[in-house]
Amino acid sequence: MQTTSEISGSLDSRSAFVWRQKIGSYIWLPVLVAISITAAVVRLVALDYNLPIDVGNDEYFYHIWAKSIRETGRPDADRGAGYPPGILYLLAADQIVAETILGSNLNIGIDYVVWGRTLCALFGVGNVILAASLGNILGKSNLAGLISAALVAAAPLMVFESRRAAANAPWVFFTLFTFLWLLIARDQKRIAYLYFALAAAIASFLFKYQSGVILGLPFLFALICFRNNRPALLSHLVIWSVLLLGLLAWLIWDYKIFEVVNTPGSDTDSYMTDGRLIGFQSLTSNFAL
């Protein structure tokens, strides 16, 4: 039997735990809002500083390829074939919005870049919020979530990549979103949530082909977490497989994914004998690198 002191100590520890949970729940939202606002300010200040034409980074080519997608459906301009379509379609949509809102006041050389960078900066803020949610679930603590949010908000590389009109910020967003829905589906025991995880994984893959490895995670979670409901499980797996095969068919035969091309100066750049800066590279060469 427990002594009076042991019972009292147990009650005290439980009371302390409850109070920590209450305090954590009270400060969670205001602190997360403060971190998110700080992240937004850091990412959104002076987005027009050092335009691509001045510093020679990849953004210049992304906007050319995005414009080509609007005109032809594919990034053929300046040999942009096969480049991951996510960022290019996103920037193409962003260009349309900028043109619609600014009208005759549009400055193509500046506004496309600033609007694209603004959109990616907002994805960067979304990454902070998703990191908080994942930290909360995995660490089972509001404090863990806030620490995760603060790390993503302040990490120099995360800040830098969220200030460019490039694939990294939205890619991280959809990758984190994939993991979040996987964990929600596991905890809520609802296979329907895995559809959101698969959709997010597909979006992540379309921004960076390296994310192909996470396309199998919804299948893995389904087989592990919902293996007792085999008839329903089989139908979901068939639907997902057909969906992915359709996406793959479009990428191979229409978008020409195997003609992957990279921007000048990148690690996967290839130089052709005829002096062209960008040459066609096979998917195998990119994976090998």
Side-chain angles (χ1 to χ4, degrees):
M1 294 181 63
Q2 289 182 311
T3 64
T4 303
S5 60
E6 289 174 337
I7 294 174
S8 176
S10 177
L11 291 175
D12 289 341
S13 63
R14 289 181 183 178
S15 177
F17 175 77
V18 170
W19 273 107
R20 285 197 300 269
Q21 290 292 94
K22 286 184 177 180
I23 294 173
S25 64
Y26 291 147
I27 68 172
W28 161 259
L29 185 57
V31 174
L32 180 58
V33 169
I35 293 173
S36 299
I37 292 174
T38 303
V41 171
V42 170
R43 286 157 172 78
L44 290 170
V45 170
L47 285 178
D48 58 342
Y49 184 73
N50 278 347
L51 293 173
I53 197 66
D54 299 322
V55 297
N57 63 36
D58 298 347
E59 290 174 273
Y60 171 75
F61 297 95
Y62 297 152
H63 285 287
I64 290 179
W65 295 345
K67 190 172 184 296
S68 176
I69 280 181
R70 293 174 56 189
E71 296 171 350
T72 67
R74 297 186 64 245
D76 296 317
D78 288 350
R79 310 177 194 90
Y83 198 82
I87 184 61
L88 305 185
Y89 277 90
L90 183 67
L91 292 179
D94 194 61
Q95 289 177 3
I96 294 173
V97 173
E99 292 171 2
T100 302
I101 294 177
L102 298 179
S104 60
N105 295 321
L106 177 73
N107 185 328
I108 294 178
I110 296 177
D111 291 325
Y112 281 170
V113 175
V114 175
W115 281 62
R117 289 178 177 179
T118 301
L119 184 58
C120 287
L122 295 177
F123 273 108
V125 177
N127 292 336
V128 172
I129 297 171
L130 289 175
S133 300
L134 282 168
N136 196 355
I137 293 174
L138 293 173
K140 302 184 186 305
S141 163
N142 289 326
L143 179 60
L146 294 176
I147 291 174
S148 301
L151 289 173
V152 173
L157 183 60
M158 300 291 282
V159 173
F160 174 75
E161 291 299 340
S162 297
R163 290 174 52 82
R164 299 175 61 231
N168 285 331
W171 169 60
V172 172
F173 178 87
F174 288 112
T175 302
L176 294 178
F177 212 38
T178 302
F179 294 132
L180 181 63
W181 280 112
L182 288 172
L183 294 175
I184 292 175
R186 180 202 64 181
D187 295 341
Q188 299 294 327
K189 304 300 181 185
R190 294 188 61 182
I191 196 170
Y193 289 147
L194 290 180
Y195 279 85
F196 296 113
L198 182 63
I202 289 174
S204 174
F205 170 71
L206 292 177
F207 278 94
K208 280 186 179 290
Y209 294 142
Q210 295 93 324
S211 282
V213 295
I214 71 172
L215 289 173
L217 289 180
F219 291 84
L220 182 61
F221 268 65
L223 291 171
I224 293 175
C225 300
F226 303 96
R227 60 184 180 276
N228 295 328
N229 190 3
R230 293 183 181 179
L233 176 61
L234 181 60
S235 64
H236 291 299
L237 295 180
V238 169
I239 292 172
W240 299 348
S241 298
V242 171
L243 179 64
L244 290 181
L245 287 174
L247 174 66
L248 185 61
W250 173 72
L251 287 171
I252 292 176
W253 283 289
D254 183 62
Y255 195 75
K256 309 297 183 184
I257 188 176
F258 287 110
E259 295 178 352
V260 178
V261 174
N262 301 277
T263 55
S266 70
D267 292 336
T268 48
D269 183 25
S270 64
Y271 295 87
M272 309 301 288
T273 55
D274 61 3
R276 287 180 297 163
L277 283 176
I278 305 178
F280 291 99
Q281 267 186 248
S282 68
L283 201 59
T284 305
S285 298
N286 281 264
F287 281 140
L289 180 74

